Amino acid sequence: MLADLWAAYQSSVGFAMVNVFFALSTYAVLSAGVLSFASVSYAAFGGFIGAQLVLNTGISPLLALPVSAVAGALLAYAVALLFLRLDGHWMALASLALVLMTRVVVLNAPTLTGGVNGLSLPVDLSLATLTVLLLLLMLVFHRLSGSWYGIAVRAVREDPAVAASLGMPARRLQTIAFVISGAVGGAGGMLLAAMLQFISPDTYFINIAFTMIAAVVLGGSYHWAGAVAGAFVFTALPVVMQAVLPQIQDVANGAALLAIMVFLPRGLIDPRAWRLRHAR
Amino acid sequence: MRGDGDTPALLELDGVGKSFGGVAAVADLSFAVPTGSVMGLMGPNGAGKTTVINLITGLLGFDRGHIRFDGAEIGGAAAHRIAARGIARTYQNVRLFSGMTALEQVLAGGFLRRGTSLIASFLGTPASRAARARSLAEARHLLDRVRLAHRADVLAETLSYGEQRRIEIARALGAHPRLLLLDEPTAGMNAAESAAIGGLVHELRDAGLTVLMVEHNVRLVTDFCDHVAVMSFGRKLTEGTPAACLAHPEVQAAYFGRSGDAERIRALR
Ligand SMILES: Nc1ncnc2c1ncn2[C@@H]1O[C@H](COP(=O)(O)OP(=O)(O)O)[C@@H](O)[C@H]1O
Ligand SMILES: [Mg+2]
């Protein structure tokens, strides 16, 4: 019985884990005060480059993963140089435009991407491997948030002017955040490719942007664990609703998301609320 | 005494001006803060005192004039570069970081003295862990200095106004600045709290820090400032010893006007 359940849902667990990569990619820049959708583009870049590497050299997807991460990081660095000069809302819009452009580029670069036909990638990615990778990723974010970088980006996010007058170079810190976001997004793109075993221009599109923003909003954007929790909840909710309330699953799904947003506006994981309670 | 003309100036403003939409908030302002002194900046609300501090720290775009810190021009430089030269500040309206504990605020203030690279601190090298321990010890020491050691792990925004102001001072000291700018550090504090701030300012000066503070509390200015400049409508009205400035007829008229402070000053003498 439990085994059946696991068989039915393990692909959802796998997708939830990959979504954690996308959510953390978004969290990486959001934690430095920048809303950006560009993680989708890093994922596409990392995904197609990693897939080509695997297809052309026959190396394992795990070995292609660092290359995807570097590719994503490089793209993110370029995005940071170009877009960080823009003010908040414009930055978000520009990153959205980048996502739209990415699809056009992917469609029109068939040698790299396979164009409309996409690429099939006959590889196997076990859930165990994915779990180990996810734990590693969480360790990275845990260590970052505990370092001076963690405090500095929080300061920049809360009040950039005050942060600057404490000697914090906001632009440089945000550029680092972009590079981290790019590496995580690029790796996530490769993992998604390996999970799906097929990628096309539609793989890396608005649906991912929606997933990652929803995950961070739901889970909370003030702690990396929020992105992790949010990605799991957001991925699991439709599956659970389909099992529990199949007649009204869409409505129930929407209602549950709304309820979280209304009653927990800072997300499921909110260190500030915890500390406020702790203070009493 | 300190603040004499022959002491070299740590900070010099020379013909500084700043307008907002054609209205001059600061006009042709010149004064110098001698190294190792406590200088008071007085003047009625809207005189331009906060604007001066914002210009010195690079928080506002710079219009006209020169600001020299330790001989180097800093007018119009980026805020984080000015901070790195050794200028720290507090704010008239407390600006602590939301969601951070008292200790974290002060740790953030120690950013310039973190003493380790991102990679090293990410990897947790022994040197970076030692640097981290030093930063923590220093932050705790600074909290202790403003008598808030027992509040270290409390969310700063839940503390009283006076406590928040003291955290801001501790945060500003985190970078070991050479010049500390205090914008109305005792606003909203009672007499005992104010006197404690004055005492702290004196301790800091004795440890070699130069202080420029905007302050309305006449008693504090008289007791703790070596030198005072008075502003009115963006210009410098007068400058000199606290007693001389407070006695200045235009100061009495422009600053104290009908407020009744004039009687309080007379009562003080
Ligand atoms: N950022 C700003 N934008 C527009 N006007 C400002 C700004 N900051 C200050 N002012 C104006 O400049 C003048 C001086 O203000 P301020 O420096 O805050 O005075 P003080 O600190 O002496 O009370 C006031 O008229 C104020 O309204
Ligand atoms: Mg003011």
Side-chain angles (χ1 to χ4, degrees), chain B residues 20 25 44-51 60 92:
Chain B
F20 295 108
N45 279 332
K49 308 178 296 294
T50 298
T51 303
L60 278 177
Q92 182 174 350

Side-chain angles (χ1 to χ4, degrees), chain A residues 24-228:
Chain A
L24 279 175
S25 174
T26 304
Y27 169 80
V29 282
L30 202 54
S31 65
V34 182
L35 175 60
S36 160
F37 299 93
S39 296
V40 178
S41 304
Y42 315 146
F45 199 43
F48 282 109
I49 283 191
Q52 285 291 1
L53 201 62
V54 170
L55 290 174
N56 287 316
T57 66
I59 61 168
S60 100
L62 273 186
L63 285 177
L65 198 60
V67 177
S68 299
V70 169
L74 287 175
L75 178 60
Y77 183 65
V79 170
L81 289 187
L82 282 173
F83 289 1
L84 266 182
R85 65 190 79 222
L86 302 173
D87 277 344
H89 300 91
W90 297 115
M91 164 78 225
L93 277 179
S95 72
L96 206 53
L98 186 74
V99 173
L100 303 179
M101 272 169 55
T102 300
R103 188 184 145 85
V104 177
V105 170
V106 167
L107 273 169
N108 290 292
T111 37
L112 175 66
T113 65
V116 270
N117 300 319
L119 291 176
S120 26
L121 192 66
V123 295
D124 211 22
L125 180 69
S126 77
L127 214 49
T129 311
L130 203 50
T131 308
V132 171
L133 290 172
L134 180 58
L135 289 176
L136 277 176
L137 181 70
M138 286 161 64
L139 181 67
V140 166
F141 274 81
H142 171 69
R143 295 218 55 122
L144 281 174
S145 75
S147 72
W148 56 258
Y149 167 84
I151 284 204
V153 289
R154 274 164 73 195
V156 167
R157 176 191 194 169
E158 291 298 337
D159 195 332
V162 173
S165 72
L166 297 175
M168 297 172 181
R171 194 69 68 76
R172 226 174 59 224
L173 289 163
Q174 289 173 334
T175 303
I176 296 173
F178 265 82
V179 169
I180 295 168
S181 169
V184 177
M190 177 62 207
L191 292 174
L192 184 62
M195 280 271 304
L196 294 169
Q197 300 184 349
F198 169 76
I199 48 179
S200 76
D202 288 327
T203 309
Y204 305 103
F205 202 45
I206 298 295
N207 52 326
I208 293 188
F210 184 65
T211 302
M212 65 201 193
I213 296 293
V216 173
V217 169
L218 279 186
S221 61
Y222 293 89
H223 194 286
W224 59 265
V228 178

Side-chain angles (χ1 to χ4, degrees), chain B residues 59-83:
Chain B
L59 248 64
L60 278 177
F62 192 65
D63 281 4
R64 287 178 292 286
H66 299 280
I67 303 179
R68 278 182 287 273
F69 179 65
D70 202 15
E73 178 74 44
I74 57 165
H80 69 274
R81 296 240 157 76
I82 293 172

Side-chain angles (χ1 to χ4, degrees), chain A residues 143 147 154 159 165 272 275, chain B residues 91 95 99 104 122 157:
Chain A
R143 295 218 55 122
S147 72
R154 274 164 73 195
D159 195 332
S165 72
R272 183 170 164 273
R275 284 167 157 176
Chain B
Y91 298 82
R95 282 170 84 169
E104 286 170 336
F122 175 73
E157 60 217 80

